[in-house]
Amino acid sequence: MRTLMIQGTASDAGKSVLVAGLCRLAARRGIRVAPFKSQNMSLNAAVTSDGLEIGRAQALQALACGLTPTVHMNPILLKPEAESRSQVVLLGKAVARVDFREYADYRQRCIEAIDGSLAVLGENADLVIAEGAGSPAEINLMARDIANMFVARRTDAEVWLVGDIDRGGVFAALYGTVELLPPEDRRRVRAFVMNRFRGDVELLRPGLRMLEDRTGVPTIGVVPFLTDLGLPAEDGQSIQIRNRAGGGEDGPPKQQVVVVRYPRISNHDDFLPLESDPRVELRYVDDPAAIADAELVILPGSKATRADLAWVRSRGIDAAVLEHAARGGRVLGICGGYQMLGARIVDASGVEGRPGTSTGLGLLPVETHFESTKEVRPVEVRATGAPSWVTERCGDGVTVTGYEIHAGRVVPTRGDARWLFQHVGGASAPEGVVDGNVAGTLVHALFDSPEVRGAVLGLPVRDRVWTGELEAALDRLADHLEESLEEEALARAFGG
């Protein structure tokens, strides 16, 4: 098994997207390729077909390879919570809530998981494209780092170091990163990649030559700043508002949709299908004034539901949502957002933070009780048949495929609660609640369904399947990388 490892000078240098593009490029060349990230810190998670949890970026990279996502592509997932703690998800299952010092106690278990996962991937892949985390040159953390050079050494990987030139300081970042590495690790860095470049590349070339003179490492590609690829961002804190022009000056006005962006927003890729729809202007907001002109307000998932609910109140967003609903505006809560819309949230055991009870927004007749058991599963649901603006386009023959990932158990507070969905198969349990113009559900990936998307937006149903759009975006990304990176370097790394 050959291994190519993409490391970065910092978080958000573009590693995840570059790995996805390289995976697609290798797969198109007939190479059996698989992605890998030993340790991922992200609130944007995916659920595998066997009900295990991995980083969303690795699920996307698996799609780029033409593979079904498995937990071995991301054996360790850290999900930051409130109060400087993280939930540790090991081989797809939550095992602890720890701070940084306590996490050190899990090091040996994590190493065993990394080695086991690499062995499994090696059984079916000729090439693994591994992704680092943050920077490999954090000198205070090097001895404990299991995400960067630790993996490169274990797999004898060739390392490409990526720098984000759009932010400035990229030459210092690349040079400084290499200089801070121990000599044995420095030798593994075979190439630099300049990412997110705008302008005339010829003006950059003298700097590239000087950088190679100082480090001995060539720059094998300058990747342009790519916009509107429509690929999920790994980190909710880096979400940017990506409004799309639609319809031209004479076209119909776009639907105004806002997503409340709390500090611990999770699974924000739920909204990529809305971002890519030219009939929609979707904005992530943290200001109550931004809700005033919205037609639909969405409260998304959260990794720290009660803490984020307190933040919503501190910003005055709760009053703006209540006023919007009172005017007849539509409100949709997903997972943690659904729980916020209920009467109260009870966390007696401190599953998500300090034990206690929070009063919800009171817009839905439900309450949430947090339990130590975390529900992680792919689901298929069907509309109940009751009139609902969320499911009115979902007739008897239409099912919606998504996933659930939550610790809170949502229960009705009234016997006449109107359910949104019925689970398909098993006990066919009801799911989600609607009360007039307010609805909530625990199911993620709702907007992947063109029927749900059309119903929620009050727009005609479009035939485009969201996974097809992702496939096309990955192909465009691979095309850009094929044009931007030196073929000799690609052939060497791919084993050609």
Side-chain angles (χ1 to χ4, degrees), residues 150-225:
F150 174 89
V151 173
R153 290 184 223 111
R154 249 167 164 71
T155 59
D156 194 24
E158 172 177 338
V159 174
W160 292 2
L161 186 62
V162 179
D164 180 1
I165 194 170
D166 189 58
R167 295 186 173 187
V170 71
F171 290 105
L174 290 167
Y175 176 83
T177 299
V178 169
E179 284 299 305
L180 286 172
L181 293 174
E184 63 271 22
D185 290 337
R186 194 179 306 155
R187 287 191 289 269
R188 294 191 179 279
V189 181
R190 301 288 301 280
F192 293 142
V193 177
M194 295 282 187
N195 196 25
R196 298 174 179 151
F197 179 73
R198 313 176 197 239
D200 184 353
V201 72
E202 292 304 316
L203 298 177
L204 189 63
R205 295 200 188 282
L208 302 182
R209 289 193 291 270
M210 287 186 280
L211 182 65
E212 183 173 359
D213 289 342
R214 284 167 167 77
T215 64
V217 179
T219 298
I220 54 96
V222 178
V223 180
F225 195 104

Side-chain angles (χ1 to χ4, degrees), residues 458-472:
L459 295 170
V461 175
R462 308 186 88 184
D463 292 334
R464 293 189 303 175
V465 179
W466 176 240
T467 53
E469 295 186 20
L470 279 180
E471 293 278 7

Side-chain angles (χ1 to χ4, degrees), residues 382-396 416-422 430-436 439 455:
R382 181 180 290 116
T384 60
S388 163
W389 56 274
V390 178
T391 59
E392 63 186 6
R393 309 274 176 95
C394 300
D396 292 339
D416 61 346
R418 294 174 53 206
W419 303 105
L420 274 178
F421 299 112
Q422 289 285 136
E431 200 289 317
V433 167
V434 60
D435 190 359

Side-chain angles (χ1 to χ4, degrees), residues 305-383:
T305 309
R306 291 177 58 228
D308 277 347
L309 176 57
W311 175 89
V312 164
R313 286 204 161 93
S314 72
R315 304 281 298 189
I317 292 173
D318 58 332
V321 171
L322 292 171
E323 183 180 347
H324 171 82
R327 292 197 307 264
R330 294 177 173 184
V331 180
L332 175 65
I334 299 175
C335 199
Y338 172 28
Q339 295 167 350
M340 293 181 194
L341 291 174
R344 61 180 189 148
I345 302 171
V346 181
D347 189 358
S349 301
V351 173
E352 271 200 349
R354 293 180 181 175
T357 298
S358 298
T359 301
L361 300 186
L363 289 174
L364 289 175
V366 297
E367 64 181 28
T368 299
H369 296 263
F370 275 91
E371 300 174 341
S372 57
T373 302
K374 188 176 184 180
E375 191 73 61
V376 180
R377 59 176 177 168
V379 295
E380 188 176 17
V381 294
R382 181 180 290 116

Side-chain angles (χ1 to χ4, degrees), residues 21 31 40 84 98 108 128 162 192 195 197-199 206 244 326 348 402 411 444 455 466:
I31 299 170
N40 196 347
S84 302
V98 298
Q108 189 55 42
V128 167
V162 179
F192 293 142
N195 196 25
F197 179 73
R198 313 176 197 239
R244 292 197 175 219
V411 296
H444 290 283
W466 176 240

Side-chain angles (χ1 to χ4, degrees), residues 429-446:
E431 200 289 317
V433 167
V434 60
D435 190 359
N437 53 316
V438 182
T441 176
L442 293 171
V443 178
H444 290 283
L446 275 185

